Amino acid sequence: MKVAVTGAAGFVGTNLVNQLVADGHDVVAIDRVSPAHCLDHPQVTWTSADIFDQDALAAAFDGVDTVYHLVAMITLKQQDELAWRVNTEGVASTARAALAAGVRRFVHCSSIHSFDQYTDNGVVDETSPRSEDPALPVYDRSKWAGEQELRKVIADGLDAVICNPTGVYGPVDHGLSRINGMLRDAAQGKVPMFVEGNFDLVDVRDVAKGLTLAAERGVTGENYLLGGEQVRLFDAMRTVAELCGRFRPLFAVPLSVLKVVVPIAEPISHLFGSDLVSRASIAALVAQPTVDIEKAKAELGYEPRSSADTLADLVSFLCDTKQMGSARPKSGLPFESVLPVTVA
């Protein structure tokens, strides 16, 4: 079968392309770049296309059975015009191109952030309230708005399903992502402390598999939460450090302390060109929702692996690919290595 992946050179894209090739599909891998790490395989054709150019996308989708749309802009900012446009208009443009090309199925990779995580009962499932509150960060609001744009195209005849991963981590990652980057810091013994808090983390390889299951078995117009396991981030940091025989974080900083520090540190972070230190960066940890993935399990046959397996595989991958060098944040802010990040 011939399939297409937008954002194919990214973190999730790399793993999805690997999964699709392993499943025997011919892949049209669409991205603005094709880095050296991208899969060079007879079944993969790399092409460059702008997600706002519907004609170019429709041409790339010619003869394609399934399109996986992964392009997104992740940010911790409260407002960001480019992120809003990519995460909303970009979805609409890609979906319209797929409809014009006669694609059989469209799989949109959204995010858990499109659901309002401050629920009354502490549980998020596919029926939970959405991220409509203007006070929420732009990423959360834009991911929900992007889904609404897609539903307009579904109403016009596109057969599409939506997947909502939680916090994505694990191999393969040549980036590294923010979560994997912090785990690498800890594996090197460079994280003396970390913030208290739990979050649902999912292996990127399980996300890739979940997306293909949604393409095969998902119901048109439905959302499927692709979660993994509730992980105490401080424990994850200690685990990877121990696996590498390095200095482990000594203690977890209470969120109450971080709430006091962030209003002071946030403006300083912005001066350094960073969005990591912000109210948005701790919002998910404050909420700490339980993510119910029973719908994906029942309807898709989705079964994520354990966090212990992911952490061990990530450490092995980092060592095998010689990515255990310096992992300081680009901004150089001394407090960034103890702060959480937004997720997929």
Side-chain angles (χ1 to χ4, degrees):
M1 183 187 299
K2 186 178 180 182
V3 301
V5 179
T6 68
F11 180 29
V12 176
T14 296
N15 286 273
L16 178 58
V17 171
N18 290 344
Q19 178 69 57
L20 291 168
V21 169
D23 290 343
H25 299 298
D26 294 320
V27 182
V28 179
I30 302 169
D31 213 307
R32 292 181 299 175
V33 294
S34 53
H37 71 258
C38 291
L39 185 62
D40 182 12
H41 193 281
Q43 291 171 234
V44 181
T45 302
W46 286 93
T47 185
S48 177
D50 188 324
I51 59 169
F52 300 109
D53 186 340
Q54 290 189 34
D55 291 338
L57 285 175
F61 296 158
D62 183 46
V64 164
D65 177 87
T66 303
V67 169
Y68 297 88
H69 180 58
L70 309 184
V71 173
M73 184 172 174
I74 300 175
T75 178
L76 294 169
K77 294 179 181 179
Q78 194 66 26
Q79 303 290 340
D80 190 305
E81 291 183 6
L82 179 59
W84 180 268
R85 183 169 184 244
V86 168
N87 297 343
T88 59
E89 294 176 32
V91 177
S93 174
T94 308
R96 292 287 176 194
L99 182 62
V103 166
R104 180 189 65 85
R105 170 141 281 197
F106 187 93
V107 180
H108 174 45
C109 185
S110 184
S111 169
I112 188 67
H113 282 269
S114 73
F115 291 87
D116 190 338
Q117 296 169 70
Y118 292 90
T119 60
D120 292 336
N121 63 358
V123 177
V124 174
D125 64 16
E126 289 82 359
T127 66
S128 295
R130 308 310 294 268
S131 295
E132 299 176 311
D133 189 342
L136 289 170
V138 67
Y139 181 69
D140 301 54
R141 291 182 284 108
S142 67
K143 294 305 286 186
W144 166 228
E147 291 185 24
Q148 291 175 292
E149 291 297 321
L150 176 58
R151 293 191 183 282
K152 295 175 184 177
V153 190
I154 292 174
D156 289 339
L158 182 66
D159 183 349
V161 294
I162 304 165
C163 292
N164 301 81
T166 57
V168 185
Y169 73 140
V172 171
D173 186 3
H174 297 278
L176 295 167
S177 70
R178 281 169 163 164
I179 295 177
N180 283 343
M182 290 190 299
L183 288 168
R184 182 179 65 174
D185 278 350
Q188 293 175 307
K190 294 181 177 180
V191 181
M193 59 184 178
F194 200 74
V195 296
E196 187 58 83
N198 304 328
F199 199 82
D200 191 294
L201 298 182
V202 60
D203 192 299
V204 65
R205 296 166 295 183
D206 293 330
V207 173
K209 184 61 178 178
L211 291 169
T212 64
L213 289 171
E216 298 169 8
R217 307 173 186 175
V219 176
T220 303
E222 292 292 308
N223 286 80
Y224 295 94
L225 299 186
L226 302 182
E229 182 178 327
Q230 194 81 353
V231 177
R232 186 186 182 215
L233 299 182
F234 178 71
D235 291 340
M237 298 289 173
R238 288 178 64 86
T239 295
V240 294
E242 186 172 5
L243 286 170
C244 294
R246 301 294 178 89
F247 176 82
R248 296 183 298 174
L250 294 175
F251 63 92
V253 180
L255 287 173
S256 59
V257 173
L258 199 60
K259 288 178 184 178
V260 174
V261 173
V262 165
I264 301 170
E266 187 171 15
I268 301 172
S269 176
H270 290 168
L271 288 175
F272 281 85
S274 172
D275 63 358
L276 186 55
V277 184
S278 66
R279 287 166 292 178
S281 70
I282 66 169
L285 290 179
V286 172
Q288 297 187 31
T290 297
V291 179
D292 184 347
I293 61 173
E294 289 306 312
K295 180 178 177 180
K297 285 184 173 182
E299 295 187 17
L300 306 182
Y302 173 72
E303 288 292 341
R305 72 199 73 197
S306 71
S307 64
D309 287 345
T310 299
L311 292 172
D313 289 350
L314 176 62
V315 167
S316 295
F317 170 78
L318 293 174
C319 292
D320 291 345
T321 55
K322 298 180 173 58
Q323 295 191 70
M324 290 293 284
S326 174
R328 298 302 304 161
K330 290 182 179 179
S331 72
L333 291 173
F335 41 74
E336 287 196 340
S337 62
V338 304
L339 289 168
V341 297
T342 200
V343 296

